[in-house]
Amino acid sequence: MTTDPTLTSEQQIPAWTSTVGPGWAALLDRLHRGLSALDPAYRIEEFTTRLGGLRITVADRFEDGEFDGEFADRTTALTDAAMVASEHTCEDCGAPGRIRFRGDGAVTWMRCLCDECRTRPRAIAPAAGRCPASS
């Protein structure tokens, strides 16, 4: 899911934190700090959860009309690390977890959960991937 928020702050990680479980907050904070160190004006092009983990794409950057390949490589390394970490971090509490299938036949989805959070009842999967500014 790609969105087009109008304000720069809505195009960065903090605007998306509320769209996923609280267990991933520290993971997203680390990613935001890393991306901000590379470019304080970075923009998220895509933010979603898929197959139980995060999928994040940072918009390309151009300097003097030229594609900045070094920036793309560094942002991809940071987002890939966050993706891998999300697949081993409980989305609800932040403890070590693994991807689990859940559902009742009508609604089935995948989330990364620890053993304890897996047993807690939850009516539906969170509406991940929707920017709060566009809701």
Side-chain angles (χ1 to χ4, degrees):
M1 171 182 190
T2 302
T3 63
D4 187 17
T6 56
L7 301 174
T8 302
S9 64
E10 294 169 349
Q11 296 172 328
Q12 294 188 336
I13 295 292
W16 298 90
T17 303
S18 65
T19 67
V20 297
W24 285 350
L27 217 164
L28 291 174
D29 182 57
R30 273 193 312 275
L31 177 59
H32 174 64
R33 285 181 291 150
L35 292 172
S36 293
L38 292 176
D39 181 359
Y42 80 88
R43 289 182 311 107
I44 296 298
E45 187 171 279
E46 181 179 19
F47 184 105
T48 189
T49 58
R50 192 169 44 243
L51 303 174
L54 289 168
R55 303 297 182 264
I56 301 169
T57 305
V58 176
D60 292 330
R61 183 173 82 170
F62 295 85
E63 292 210 8
D64 300 324
E66 295 291 322
F67 172 72
D68 188 345
E70 183 178 338
F71 175 77
D73 289 345
R74 289 181 177 198
T75 60
T76 298
L78 291 171
T79 56
D80 284 354
M83 177 186 72
V84 170
S86 73
E87 293 173 351
H88 301 281
T89 304
C90 178
E91 185 178 353
D92 286 351
C93 72
R98 64 183 176 90
I99 296 174
R100 319 254 183 176
F101 292 89
R102 207 158 182 200
D104 61 8
V107 177
T108 303
W109 38 272
M110 295 167 62
R111 294 185 66 214
C112 186
L113 298 169
C114 65
D115 290 337
E116 185 177 329
C117 291
R118 179 187 63 85
T119 61
R120 287 191 196 136
R122 187 175 182 113
I124 58 171
R130 281 193 284 146
C131 182
S134 62
S135 301

